[in-house]
Amino acid sequence: YVDLADGENELLGYRLDERVGGGAFGNVYRATSPDGETVAVKILHEEVRKTPEMLQSFRRGVRSMRILSNANLEGVVRYRAASEIPAFVVMDWVEGPNVREAIQARQVESWRDVLLVAHKLTKIVRSAHMLPDRVLHRDLRPANIMLKDFWTEPNDLNVVVLDFDLSYHVGAQEKTIDLRGESATGYLAPEQ
């Protein structure tokens, strides 16, 4: 849909500034919203858009993010907008490393820090499960857990969960998809 070159980096009013990550479903960009705020934009890979099961999973993930955002649930990335043509979702920008990066950089290694992250993550997951729509993430792994503002507030360990592409919630009709061979396999629940 887009390129990062000037003039080709606009997507329905959002200016894509830098590719910051990617996975099985799409690429994530640091972007600027029409009102000048920094946001995250996840654009689906073309093959995902053309694969009905994966597109349905993306839709379910967007609905899960919307449910969590509407409930004002602390510790989850905030949903802002979504589109299907082209297929993308806009979320709050979370400044900081993911847990995998923080561990690899030896920034989170004390038992105190590990237990604090685990405790905060458990509270977030439990809160999502306690909602009437019972949002289940189903893809919790270090790469999907961010430490917001870690570089400026390293003692807070402000945990934020993102990437809801494999999530489930009450009323979701889509079937679970099989992502065998993806790097997440070691973290997926056996029923996935």
Side-chain angles (χ1 to χ4, degrees):
Y1 307 117
V2 294
D3 192 311
L4 289 176
D6 283 340
E8 297 178 20
N9 61 342
E10 294 286 329
L11 183 65
L12 298 180
Y14 295 92
R15 185 186 75 232
L16 304 181
D17 301 315
E18 171 187 15
R19 183 182 177 279
V20 294
F25 281 81
N27 290 314
V28 178
Y29 296 86
R30 183 178 47 78
T32 304
S33 71
D35 61 2
E37 283 188 90
T38 300
V39 294
V41 174
K42 182 175 191 174
I43 302 174
L44 261 61
H45 297 306
E46 184 69 19
E47 60 271 15
V48 171
R49 195 177 62 77
K50 291 181 178 180
T51 306
E53 298 85 16
M54 292 184 84
L55 181 58
Q56 291 298 328
S57 189
F58 168 75
R59 289 174 176 152
R60 185 179 59 224
V62 168
R63 285 195 311 274
S64 291
M65 286 193 321
R66 191 177 297 135
I67 290 166
L68 296 168
S69 293
N70 288 342
N72 255 347
L73 192 72
E74 289 290 321
V76 294
V77 67
R78 294 281 176 241
Y79 162 86
R80 290 189 174 218
S83 171
E84 285 214 19
I85 302 174
F88 71 95
V89 63
V90 181
M91 304 158 279
D92 279 356
W93 175 256
V94 179
E95 185 65 49
N98 64 43
V99 170
R100 183 189 67 207
E101 294 165 341
I103 290 171
Q104 287 174 343
R106 304 183 73 78
Q107 299 292 318
V108 174
E109 58 183 353
S110 73
W111 276 106
R112 177 206 166 274
D113 289 348
V114 170
L115 291 174
L116 185 58
V117 169
H119 175 72
K120 289 182 176 190
L121 179 61
T122 301
K123 284 177 65 174
I124 295 164
V125 169
R126 186 170 190 276
S127 295
H129 290 186
M130 298 298 287
L131 291 173
D133 292 302
R134 293 184 48 98
V135 177
L136 310 177
H137 190 281
R138 303 192 314 174
D139 190 20
L140 286 174
R141 53 191 167 104
N144 289 340
I145 304 163
M146 300 284 295
L147 299 176
K148 182 179 180 183
D149 299 327
F150 181 77
W151 307 120
T152 56
E153 303 289 334
N155 294 325
D156 285 348
L157 294 177
N158 194 354
V159 175
V160 177
V161 177
L162 45 102
D163 197 349
F164 287 85
D165 291 328
L166 296 180
S167 68
Y168 181 82
H169 58 272
V170 170
Q173 300 297 313
E174 301 85 2
K175 296 179 182 176
T176 296
I177 61 170
D178 185 1
L179 288 178
R180 276 182 258 206
E182 296 298 324
S183 61
T185 303
Y187 291 97
L188 292 176
E191 63 272 16
Q192 288 293 95

